[in-house]
Amino acid sequence: MNEREDLLADLLAHGRFLGSLGTVGVPRPAAAAEAGGVAGLPSAGTLEPVGDPVAALAAIREDLGDCRRCKLWSGRKTIVFGQGNPRAELMFVGEAPGADEDEQGLAFVGRAGQLLTDIIEKGLKMKRSEVWIGNILKCRPPQNRNPEPDEVLSCQPFLERQIDAIRPRVIVGLGKFGGQWLLKTAEPISRIRGRVGEYRGITVVPTWHPAYLLRNAAAKKDVWEDMKTVLRLLGRPVPGPRD
Ligand code: SF4
């Protein structure tokens, strides 16, 4: 399969999710480059300043309420709002809660979450409480199926507001859905990973989802390269092999 066929197959496979990106547009690569996107990736505008991030996040949670804006409300146990430092320099955005997250009401607390903790604490040498961790969807899709466009459309305003409130310096997009949503692109994660993009003026580093790493340990070296990029972007020291 050549590159174009590969991209077409990915588009067909994930067309419904990508359709939900239509609210902000999915610019053609050439148009994105003309618009000045970082490394040829598109920008989706700039952030509006908000006040105190703690108050802003509390207001967003209040607005979310006992949300029934999409069909996922009926199968959830808890809304997973996301958690961490409201003034985080670094934010991680994944796809949706899984079973453990739905049970506990916290993002990334299952096996993939433990691996994310290792990436943050052992790789980045940061505390998990220093960063913000969240998802595009706040409720678990049944059987962990992929997000559907109406669900993304209903839920994404809350993530957009969370990002506006926290205003991190860098956002790591976890996996295909996290990376594609942030970069408003149809390109597969295998192609956007390793490049630095932009979401409304904030630098985005797409990388493999921790759940993928559980099945493909060899991909951990890619994630380490991406985390070194994150450290450089944050102006933090990059640990050597013996650290
Ligand atoms: S996924 Fe988001 S929009 Fe849908 S019910 Fe849950 S909180 Fe509301």
Side-chain angles (χ1 to χ4, degrees), residues 125-136:
K125 308 288 184 195
M126 297 173 78
K127 292 182 184 148
R128 200 174 139 121
S129 58
E130 275 182 71
V131 306
W132 180 274
I133 302 171
N135 287 300
I136 302 167

Side-chain angles (χ1 to χ4, degrees), residues 10 14 17 146 174-181 188-189 192 207 209:
D10 188 82
H14 308 295
F17 170 76
N146 288 341
L174 296 169
K176 172 179 61 192
F177 290 97
Q180 288 182 338
W181 185 87
I189 183 67
I192 57 177
T207 194
H209 195 284

Side-chain angles (χ1 to χ4, degrees), residues 64 67-70 72-73 76 79 137-139 154-155:
L64 195 55
C67 185
R68 298 186 176 193
R69 291 171 179 82
C70 83
L72 292 179
W73 77 269
R76 73 167 181 241
I79 290 176
L137 298 183
K138 313 298 186 208
C139 301
S154 298
C155 211

